[in-house]
Amino acid sequence: MAVSLQKGQKISLSKEAGGELTQVKLGLGWDVAQNPQDKKGGFLGKLFGGGSGGDSIDLDASCIMFDTNKQAIDAIWFSQLKSKDGSIVHTGDNRTGDGDGDDEVINVDLSKVPANVVSLVFTVNSFTGQTFETVENAFCRIVNANNNQEVARYNLSAQGGHTAMIMAKVYRHNNEWKMHAIGETASGRTFHDLMPAITPHA
């Protein structure tokens, strides 16, 4: 059974998965907050081309790779869906319309992440500028890609005037991979705007 993380909590991915993890998927999801004008109850269908209607929100997930000096080495986001070393791949838009599913998925081959990379920080940004007051049920989860079993989930209820969130970090510690639930609010249209806030967590 997947562990439900609290803000600030850290876990060992291999211990929670019952064995060494090499292929993981980090899924990020959210719903549009319900209001009387929102007849669709909309799950976000078009994150990358998003409609211009009032009930669509263009949220984008990103992953930034850091070295031991907290220097960003690479970033995986909607303008670069694959890391330069090939270990991380962003699958882009999820159009299932399933309210319980992932909106965006980032696949990570932990066995191929370069040795000089010590942490992967995952963020979500509101590219169109709507605040998280219009977003609910946000979460991020780690899934063992080999058997599709959920290892850990971090649910976020932080609605408010921010336009971004630093969700979680996957990092090396004593030769194993761990996950840290960060859940810090921030503001910015892309991860570039968040770098001053992200770096302390790297």
Side-chain angles (χ1 to χ4, degrees), residues 71-88:
Q71 294 296 311
I73 295 173
D74 201 358
I76 300 84
W77 59 307
F78 66 81
S79 284
Q80 181 187 309
L81 294 177
K82 186 175 183 179
S83 62
K84 295 180 179 71
D85 57 68
S87 65
I88 302 176

Side-chain angles (χ1 to χ4, degrees), residues 106-128:
I106 298 176
N107 292 302
V108 182
D109 186 340
L110 295 173
S111 67
K112 292 184 178 178
V113 174
N116 64 321
V117 174
V118 297
S119 66
L120 313 171
V121 179
F122 296 88
T123 66
V124 170
N125 295 76
S126 172
F127 185 74
T128 43

Side-chain angles (χ1 to χ4, degrees), residues 114-180:
N116 64 321
V117 174
V118 297
S119 66
L120 313 171
V121 179
F122 296 88
T123 66
V124 170
N125 295 76
S126 172
F127 185 74
T128 43
Q130 288 106 321
T131 69
F132 274 59
E133 290 169 332
T134 59
V135 178
E136 61 185 17
N137 303 326
F139 69 87
C140 64
R141 67 189 190 120
I142 290 278
V143 175
N144 183 343
N146 292 320
N147 59 15
N148 225 31
Q149 293 295 307
E150 184 174 296
V151 176
R153 175 181 286 255
Y154 178 36
N155 292 313
L156 300 131
S157 57
Q159 288 185 285
H162 51 283
T163 57
M165 181 167 284
I166 304 166
M167 302 279 277
K169 174 174 74 169
V170 172
Y171 65 102
R172 298 184 203 261
H173 181 72
N174 292 338
N175 297 316
E176 67 172 327
W177 287 98
K178 295 193 171 189
M179 181 180 180
H180 177 199

Side-chain angles (χ1 to χ4, degrees), residues 92-113:
D93 199 348
N94 179 320
R95 300 178 184 227
T96 64
D98 181 355
D100 293 326
D102 300 320
D103 283 306
E104 297 194 5
V105 176
I106 298 176
N107 292 302
V108 182
D109 186 340
L110 295 173
S111 67
K112 292 184 178 178
V113 174

